[in-house]
Amino acid sequence: MQIEKYRILLDDPETPKVQEVGPAPEPLQMVLSRSLLLWAPGGTLLGLILGLSLALLVEMLNDLVRTPSDVRRFLRIPLLGVIPDAYEDRAVDDIALCDVVQEAPDSLLGESYRRCRTHLELSAGRPFKTLLVASGHAGDGKTSMACNLAAAFAAKYERVLLIDGNLRQPSLHIAFSSDQDDDQGRVGLTSFLAGQCTYQQALRPSRAAGLDLIVAGPAVPNPAELLAGPRMKELIERAVKDYDRVILDSPPVLLVSDAKILAKLAEASLLVLNAATTKRGAAERTIFELEEVGANLVGCVLFGAEALKGGYFRQQYRAYRRYLKPQRA
């Protein structure tokens, strides 16, 4: 009967199933200690593991071409020079990036451009007189590279002609704005290609001795057709006879077809990679498209490379400053 009574109480939904027996007794001992000997090493080790994991994840997700090792590992083309970030060199704080070789020849950036010039001459495989400076996207630094390379070649007593082949967004007339007036600014490459001026009328001198310019000229609706015409080839052939070096600035390879047309006319092509913006996939596509049209891609330049703390370039920059300190004094 007692068992049956408890069974009825158990099946009744209104009967409470939990009853208070009494207060809990005091614990005899603590299982986990609050001592710093346990929590400090454990927390430090856990934080270190999380930090390293986060750094590894960020490094794996970063697909920029930032260092020379990235060029060798992923692109596998000759690296002819590394142009450091302008913030690394205090000697060029008040100097435009296109005038580094002329205005600050003893700076770290100026020496980097001269080293690139030397590597370009020694690594090209064969002598060349026409050089195309190209990049995958706009803003990678190809115009600064073209201007400083032209000044570096002119500094070794060569006659150099710098041509603005970027007819869509020209910039040489801005970089050399003090070398021209409004009347001259209306005559340039498009004027010659359209038959509106002669070869001599399109030329103009620059501030650097031995360096002449041909700016883009007035805007036209068909730049690709003009560059592919016979007058552009005639201009290159005429310039090669009159100058030791002909350097062409070009529009982005991955955006328009103009750079591919100029690459077929030039004897050598130099690719500019920006360490802060150029991704590996974009660099690989640029190399593929240039080689597909038969361009002689002699190498690349890493532009705007930052010196990592404790890295090789940081030590190189300090050594360069110490090396030139007596000369500057």
Side-chain angles (χ1 to χ4, degrees):
M1 291 177 62
Q2 190 68 21
I3 293 174
E4 189 66 24
K5 178 181 177 181
Y6 281 119
R7 183 175 296 171
I8 294 174
L9 291 176
L10 181 63
D11 295 337
D12 186 6
E14 296 182 359
T15 302
K17 305 300 188 296
V18 180
Q19 296 180 0
E20 182 180 357
V21 177
E26 292 291 333
L28 300 179
Q29 62 180 356
M30 296 184 65
V31 178
L32 295 178
S33 175
R34 297 180 181 179
S35 175
L36 292 177
L37 296 177
L38 174 65
W39 293 107
T44 303
L45 181 61
L46 182 60
L48 180 62
I49 294 175
L50 292 177
L52 292 176
S53 301
L54 182 60
L56 180 62
L57 180 62
V58 172
E59 184 68 20
M60 293 178 62
L61 294 178
N62 192 338
D63 62 344
L64 295 176
V65 184
R66 297 181 301 168
T67 61
S69 60
D70 293 337
V71 177
R72 292 191 299 267
R73 186 186 311 170
F74 301 105
L75 304 182
R76 298 177 181 177
I77 62 174
L79 180 64
L80 302 182
V82 177
I83 308 301
D85 193 349
Y87 292 104
E88 304 286 347
D89 194 355
R90 294 185 296 271
V92 298
D93 287 344
D94 301 326
I95 298 175
L97 292 181
C98 294
D99 299 331
V100 170
V101 173
Q102 300 181 49
E103 302 295 337
D106 60 340
S107 64
L108 178 62
L109 265 71
E111 182 61 29
S112 299
Y113 284 113
R114 288 192 292 270
R115 292 183 63 186
C116 178
R117 174 201 65 192
T118 303
H119 294 164
L120 188 61
E121 289 181 309
L122 299 178
S123 304
R126 61 180 182 180
F128 67 91
K129 300 189 70 172
T130 56
L131 174 68
L132 174 71
V133 181
S135 67
H137 292 285
D140 287 345
K142 57 180 175 52
T143 300
S144 299
M145 192 71 207
C147 294
N148 286 286
L149 266 183
F153 278 114
K156 47 180 301 201
Y157 306 103
E158 292 187 3
R159 294 199 62 201
V160 183
L161 176 63
L162 180 58
I163 303 175
D164 193 349
N166 189 355
L167 304 184
R168 301 176 187 266
Q169 290 188 1
S171 54
L172 284 187
H173 66 285
I174 301 175
F176 295 91
S177 58
S178 60
D179 297 329
Q180 60 201 20
D181 52 37
D182 294 338
D183 293 334
Q184 289 178 320
R186 290 195 291 266
V187 178
L189 180 60
T190 56
S191 305
F192 174 80
L193 297 180
Q196 299 174 356
C197 72
T198 63
Y199 168 76
Q200 293 295 337
Q201 291 174 340
L203 296 174
R204 69 190 62 188
S206 69
R207 296 184 299 271
L211 175 59
D212 293 339
L213 307 171
I214 295 182
V215 297
V220 292
N222 56 340
E225 288 74 14
L226 285 179
L227 292 175
R231 288 184 65 85
M232 185 64 195
K233 184 177 181 180
E234 175 188 345
L235 174 66
I236 298 296
E237 294 175 352
R238 176 72 181 275
V240 167
K241 296 179 181 179
D242 297 339
Y243 293 90
D244 300 315
R245 304 282 178 181
V246 179
I247 299 178
L248 297 97
D249 186 18
S250 68
V253 176
L254 298 179
L255 300 183
V256 292
S257 61
D258 304 8
K260 300 177 185 178
I261 298 173
L262 295 174
K264 292 182 68 65
L265 297 176
E267 296 175 330
S269 298
L270 178 67
L271 179 61
V272 178
L273 306 173
N274 194 300
T277 59
T278 303
K279 296 185 177 182
R280 299 168 190 168
E284 291 174 351
R285 291 196 305 272
T286 305
I287 295 172
F288 173 77
E289 294 196 12
L290 287 175
E291 292 179 344
E292 191 179 27
V293 298
N296 180 24
L297 188 59
V298 295
C300 67
V301 173
L302 190 60
F303 186 88
E306 295 184 359
L308 303 179
K309 292 184 178 180
Y312 166 74
F313 289 105
R314 177 70 67 182
Q315 299 176 1
Q316 184 185 21
Y317 298 158
R318 293 176 180 174
Y320 180 78
R321 296 189 183 102
R322 290 195 300 267
Y323 184 75
L324 289 187
K325 190 174 181 180
Q327 179 181 354
R328 292 174 179 174

